[in-house]
Every structure is written in C-alpha cells, then in structure tokens.
Amino acid sequence: NGNVDFVADGGNVGIGTTSPSEKLEVSGGHLKITNAGNTNLYINANNADSDATIFFEEQDSVKAKIQHDASNDSLLFTDGAYTDTMTLKGGNVGIGTTSPGAKLHTKVGSSNSNGYDSSVGLIVEGANRSIVQINSISDAYVMFGDAANLNRAWVGYNHVTDQLMLQTASTTTMNGNVGIGTTSPGQKLHVNGASDGNSIYTAML
C-alpha cells in the first residue's frame, strides 16, 4: 500500500531484465493493469508541441505505431515504413458516429436516416447535404465493376473540356424526367434550347 517513488537520477528500472534500456522495461511477460472501477492508461507529453506515441517492434525494429500528432491534433495509425495506413480485420469504422452502419460511416449532424443496407461499404451522412469530393488535376472518375470486369460503367469529369461524362457497357436507365437546359422537366425528355428551334442535332454514323 502507498506510493513507491523512483528518483530520476539517470538510471532505468527493469522487471524481468537486469539491463533495462528505458526508464521502465518489462521483459518475459505481459503488462496488466487492473482496477475495481475505470481503468486508464495515460501517455502524457508534458510539452504542448510534443507527440505522444506507442511503438510496436519486432526484434527491436519498429513495425507500427499509434501516435498523437501535436502539430495537427490528430491520431495516426501507421504500419510498415510509416505509410499512414490502418487495417481492421473486422467491424465498422465511424467518424462522427459511435454506431457506424457500414465499413466506413462518416456523419456530420443528423440526417434522420433509419437503417442501412448491410451490403453498403461507405455511408456519407450529413444534416443538410452530403458531399463526396474527388480532386484531380486532369480527370476524376467513379467506376463500377463486377466479378467479370472491373470497369463496367463509370461517371467521370474531364477538367480540360469541363465535361461530365457517363459511360456504360449496356443500357442506361433513369426514373423520372430528364431535363436539358431546364431544372424542371415536364416530360421524360425535356430540352429547353435556342428560340430558333435548333436545340436537337442528330448525326448519322
């Protein structure tokens, strides 16, 4: 009972080793922390500009780390040569939500959504609007594939020509009405063009 103080006089403390290389080194077993109530492990960087890091080593070689980046106030999960990647073998990841409904679920505000399809891999949920932004200096695409072909259809944007493109390997179907030059089409296809009537151009191939 009580406290045990080790004075920081330049020496290290070893449990299971007579040659500790750090202030506290535990060798030959596990480190277990138990408590009757809440159990916490704090890693405290006393300097506001310093990072706090947990390293994972294999034969004294760092293989991964969990780090709080003080400069960006962010938490990094990295592996290998610090490629800033994280792999979860199971479960879902939620950003802004504690009950993610897909492999990756981001949420800003509340959209009053009720339930999600179990086959959905990505949910982007927002209170007023949800945006998925794809940036590129040339072209940007969303591609759709199946077991036979990785590129069955795509929606793309060409920055040079300022064009939105739709490509499919078969038929494109749409519900509702389609408007060209109007945001309130009154027919299945509604073209609002020039006053001289030259709105539709047909070329024979």
Side-chain angles (χ1 to χ4, degrees):
N1 295 326
N3 299 327
V4 176
D5 296 328
F6 294 91
V7 178
D9 58 357
N12 297 329
V13 176
I15 300 177
T17 175
T18 58
S19 56
S21 60
E22 301 294 340
K23 290 300 181 184
L24 174 61
E25 182 175 343
V26 180
S27 178
H30 302 280
L31 177 62
K32 184 177 182 179
I33 303 174
T34 61
N35 189 39
N38 297 330
T39 303
N40 302 310
L41 174 62
Y42 290 93
I43 300 178
N44 186 7
N46 287 326
N47 191 322
D49 297 326
S50 299
D51 300 335
T53 310
I54 299 175
F55 291 98
F56 299 88
E57 295 185 345
E58 180 181 307
Q59 296 180 342
D60 296 327
S61 176
V62 175
K63 298 298 183 180
K65 69 177 180 178
I66 301 175
Q67 179 185 70
H68 174 258
D69 186 340
S71 60
N72 296 314
D73 196 20
S74 60
L75 190 62
L76 302 176
F77 296 79
T78 65
D79 65 359
Y82 298 158
T83 54
D84 292 346
T85 62
M86 179 178 65
T87 301
L88 298 180
K89 289 187 175 180
N92 298 334
V93 176
I95 302 175
T97 173
T98 58
S99 54
K103 291 300 181 184
L104 176 58
H105 185 165
T106 69
K107 183 175 182 179
V108 179
S110 176
S111 65
N112 297 320
S113 297
N114 295 316
Y116 305 99
D117 192 311
S118 60
S119 62
V120 173
L122 170 64
I123 295 174
V124 181
E125 184 178 353
N128 299 315
R129 58 181 178 176
S130 298
I131 299 174
V132 176
Q133 183 168 324
I134 303 175
N135 287 1
S136 171
I137 60 174
S138 56
D139 302 329
Y141 296 91
V142 177
M143 290 187 175
F144 304 89
D146 56 25
N149 192 321
L150 296 178
N151 184 11
R152 299 293 296 174
W154 50 262
V155 177
Y157 177 74
N158 187 303
H159 292 275
V160 177
T161 59
D162 197 20
Q163 290 179 322
L164 182 66
M165 300 167 291
L166 174 63
Q167 173 71 35
T168 64
S170 182
T171 303
T172 301
T173 60
M174 297 182 181
N175 294 326
N177 298 335
V178 177
I180 300 177
T182 175
T183 58
S184 55
Q187 302 296 329
K188 290 300 182 183
L189 176 59
H190 184 162
V191 180
N192 187 12
S195 58
D196 59 4
N198 296 323
S199 300
I200 301 177
Y201 175 79
T202 303
M204 300 300 295
L205 300 179

